[in-house]
Amino acid sequence: MGSTSDLEIMSAAFAVLDQFGVPYEKRVISAHRAPSLLAEWAGSARDRGVSVIIAGAGGAAHLAGVTAAYTTLPVIGVPINGKAFGGMDALLSTVQMPSGIPVATVAVNGAKNAALLALSILSVTDASVAEKLADFRRKQTEAIVNTEI
Ligand code: RP5
Protein backbone atom coordinates (compact mmCIF):
# COMPACT_ATOMS: atom_id res chain seq x y z
CA MET A 1 0.00 0.00 0.00
CA GLY A 2 1.04 3.57 -0.57
CA SER A 3 0.79 4.78 3.02
CA THR A 4 0.05 3.59 6.53
CA SER A 5 -3.15 5.61 6.14
CA ASP A 6 -4.29 2.85 3.72
CA LEU A 7 -3.81 0.15 6.35
CA GLU A 8 -7.34 0.14 7.72
CA ILE A 9 -8.88 -0.50 4.29
CA MET A 10 -6.20 -2.97 3.20
CA SER A 11 -6.62 -4.99 6.41
CA ALA A 12 -9.65 -6.63 4.78
CA ALA A 13 -7.28 -8.27 2.29
CA PHE A 14 -4.95 -9.48 5.05
CA ALA A 15 -7.92 -11.01 6.88
CA VAL A 16 -8.93 -13.06 3.83
CA LEU A 17 -5.38 -14.25 3.15
CA ASP A 18 -4.97 -15.18 6.84
CA GLN A 19 -8.28 -17.07 6.72
CA PHE A 20 -7.06 -19.07 3.72
CA GLY A 21 -3.61 -19.63 5.23
CA VAL A 22 -1.85 -18.07 2.26
CA PRO A 23 1.47 -16.37 3.06
CA TYR A 24 2.09 -12.81 1.89
CA GLU A 25 4.39 -9.84 2.14
CA LYS A 26 2.85 -6.72 3.67
CA ARG A 27 4.62 -3.49 2.73
CA VAL A 28 4.14 0.26 2.63
CA ILE A 29 5.92 1.55 -0.49
CA SER A 30 4.90 4.82 -2.10
CA ALA A 31 5.21 5.18 -5.86
CA HIS A 32 5.86 8.88 -5.34
CA ARG A 33 7.80 9.04 -2.08
CA ALA A 34 9.98 5.94 -2.59
CA PRO A 35 10.05 5.19 -6.33
CA SER A 36 13.44 3.44 -6.31
CA LEU A 37 12.34 1.10 -3.54
CA LEU A 38 9.17 0.27 -5.47
CA ALA A 39 11.19 -0.52 -8.60
CA GLU A 40 13.47 -2.83 -6.61
CA TRP A 41 10.64 -4.51 -4.70
CA ALA A 42 8.34 -5.07 -7.69
CA GLY A 43 11.19 -5.94 -10.04
CA SER A 44 12.41 -8.72 -7.74
CA ALA A 45 8.99 -10.03 -6.66
CA ARG A 46 8.84 -12.98 -9.06
CA ASP A 47 12.31 -14.13 -8.02
CA ARG A 48 11.20 -14.01 -4.36
CA GLY A 49 8.38 -16.43 -5.17
CA VAL A 50 5.55 -13.91 -5.26
CA SER A 51 2.66 -14.96 -7.54
CA VAL A 52 0.24 -12.02 -7.37
CA ILE A 53 0.58 -8.43 -6.16
CA ILE A 54 -2.24 -6.41 -4.57
CA ALA A 55 -1.58 -2.67 -4.60
CA GLY A 56 -3.85 -0.30 -2.65
CA ALA A 57 -3.51 3.48 -2.85
CA GLY A 58 -5.59 6.62 -2.70
CA GLY A 59 -5.52 10.05 -4.29
CA ALA A 60 -3.34 10.17 -7.41
CA ALA A 61 -3.08 6.42 -7.06
CA HIS A 62 -0.19 5.41 -9.28
CA LEU A 63 1.04 2.56 -7.08
CA ALA A 64 -0.67 -0.31 -8.89
CA GLY A 65 0.20 1.02 -12.33
CA VAL A 66 3.84 1.69 -11.58
CA THR A 67 4.12 -1.69 -9.86
CA ALA A 68 2.71 -3.33 -13.00
CA ALA A 69 5.30 -1.51 -15.06
CA TYR A 70 8.08 -3.23 -13.13
CA THR A 71 6.76 -6.81 -13.19
CA THR A 72 4.91 -9.26 -15.41
CA LEU A 73 3.17 -10.76 -12.37
CA PRO A 74 -0.59 -10.10 -12.16
CA VAL A 75 -1.24 -6.82 -10.30
CA ILE A 76 -4.59 -6.14 -8.62
CA GLY A 77 -5.28 -2.49 -7.83
CA VAL A 78 -7.40 -1.31 -4.91
CA PRO A 79 -8.45 2.33 -5.27
CA ILE A 80 -8.77 3.79 -1.77
CA ASN A 81 -11.28 6.46 -0.84
CA GLY A 82 -9.09 9.23 0.54
CA LYS A 83 -10.00 12.76 1.45
CA ALA A 84 -11.64 13.87 -1.80
CA PHE A 85 -14.00 12.89 -4.60
CA GLY A 86 -15.28 9.75 -2.87
CA GLY A 87 -12.33 7.77 -4.18
CA MET A 88 -13.10 8.59 -7.82
CA ASP A 89 -9.61 10.08 -8.20
CA ALA A 90 -8.00 6.82 -7.05
CA LEU A 91 -10.40 4.70 -9.11
CA LEU A 92 -9.60 6.49 -12.36
CA SER A 93 -5.86 6.64 -11.60
CA THR A 94 -5.82 2.89 -11.01
CA VAL A 95 -8.17 1.63 -13.69
CA GLN A 96 -7.21 3.78 -16.67
CA MET A 97 -3.97 2.04 -17.53
CA PRO A 98 -2.28 2.49 -20.88
CA SER A 99 -2.56 -0.44 -23.28
CA GLY A 100 0.18 -2.99 -22.66
CA ILE A 101 0.46 -2.64 -18.86
CA PRO A 102 -2.69 -4.11 -17.27
CA VAL A 103 -3.95 -3.64 -13.71
CA ALA A 104 -6.96 -5.67 -12.57
CA THR A 105 -8.85 -2.99 -10.66
CA VAL A 106 -11.44 -3.85 -8.01
CA ALA A 107 -14.03 -1.51 -6.48
CA VAL A 108 -13.15 1.52 -4.38
CA ASN A 109 -12.03 0.12 -1.00
CA GLY A 110 -12.48 -3.40 -2.46
CA ALA A 111 -9.58 -4.97 -0.57
CA LYS A 112 -11.55 -8.11 0.31
CA ASN A 113 -12.34 -8.81 -3.32
CA ALA A 114 -8.74 -8.08 -4.26
CA ALA A 115 -7.63 -10.90 -1.97
CA LEU A 116 -10.33 -13.23 -3.28
CA LEU A 117 -9.29 -12.46 -6.86
CA ALA A 118 -5.66 -13.14 -5.96
CA LEU A 119 -6.75 -16.47 -4.50
CA SER A 120 -8.66 -17.27 -7.70
CA ILE A 121 -5.49 -16.67 -9.68
CA LEU A 122 -3.51 -18.91 -7.30
CA SER A 123 -6.22 -21.58 -7.54
CA VAL A 124 -5.38 -22.20 -11.20
CA THR A 125 -2.25 -24.06 -10.11
CA ASP A 126 -2.98 -24.74 -6.41
CA ALA A 127 -5.67 -27.37 -5.75
CA SER A 128 -5.72 -26.63 -2.02
CA VAL A 129 -6.58 -22.96 -2.61
CA ALA A 130 -9.18 -24.03 -5.20
CA GLU A 131 -10.88 -26.28 -2.63
CA LYS A 132 -10.82 -23.56 0.05
CA LEU A 133 -12.34 -21.09 -2.40
CA ALA A 134 -15.11 -23.53 -3.29
CA ASP A 135 -15.78 -24.04 0.41
CA PHE A 136 -15.85 -20.26 0.97
CA ARG A 137 -18.42 -19.87 -1.83
CA ARG A 138 -20.53 -22.76 -0.45
CA LYS A 139 -20.64 -21.18 3.01
CA GLN A 140 -21.39 -17.75 1.57
CA THR A 141 -24.34 -19.18 -0.37
CA GLU A 142 -25.57 -21.11 2.69
CA ALA A 143 -25.52 -17.94 4.77
CA ILE A 144 -27.80 -16.24 2.25
CA VAL A 145 -30.10 -19.23 1.87
CA ASN A 146 -30.46 -19.43 5.66
CA THR A 147 -30.97 -15.72 6.25
CA GLU A 148 -34.19 -14.95 8.06
CA ILE A 149 -35.55 -11.44 8.35
C1 RP5 B 1 -1.36 7.77 -1.49
O1 RP5 B 1 -1.68 8.98 -0.93
C2 RP5 B 1 -1.50 6.76 -0.41
O2 RP5 B 1 -1.81 5.51 -0.94
C3 RP5 B 1 -2.62 7.30 0.44
O3 RP5 B 1 -3.87 6.72 0.10
C4 RP5 B 1 -2.65 8.78 0.06
C5 RP5 B 1 -2.38 9.69 1.23
O4 RP5 B 1 -1.20 9.30 1.86
P1 RP5 B 1 -0.79 9.97 3.27
O5 RP5 B 1 -0.61 11.42 3.01
O6 RP5 B 1 -1.91 9.67 4.23
O7 RP5 B 1 0.49 9.27 3.67
O8 RP5 B 1 -0.07 7.75 -2.02
Side-chain angles (χ1 to χ4, degrees), residues 41-50 71-74:
W41 183 85
S44 60
R46 189 184 288 276
D47 289 342
R48 292 197 309 280
V50 173
T71 181
T72 53
L73 291 171

Side-chain angles (χ1 to χ4, degrees), residues 20-116:
F20 278 73
V22 170
Y24 57 93
E25 297 180 8
K26 180 165 57 175
R27 296 291 303 265
V28 172
I29 304 178
S30 167
H32 306 110
R33 294 165 177 158
S36 301
L37 175 59
L38 178 59
E40 183 193 329
W41 183 85
S44 60
R46 189 184 288 276
D47 289 342
R48 292 197 309 280
V50 173
S51 300
V52 187
I53 296 174
I54 300 171
H62 299 126
L63 182 63
V66 175
T67 298
Y70 283 113
T71 181
T72 53
L73 291 171
V75 175
I76 302 171
V78 183
I80 292 181
N81 183 3
K83 300 182 182 93
F85 307 115
M88 186 63 79
D89 47 355
L91 173 61
L92 296 179
S93 302
T94 305
V95 77
Q96 290 289 26
M97 287 297 293
S99 174
I101 306 291
V103 167
T105 305
V106 296
V108 172
N109 293 347
K112 177 180 175 180
N113 268 2
L116 289 169

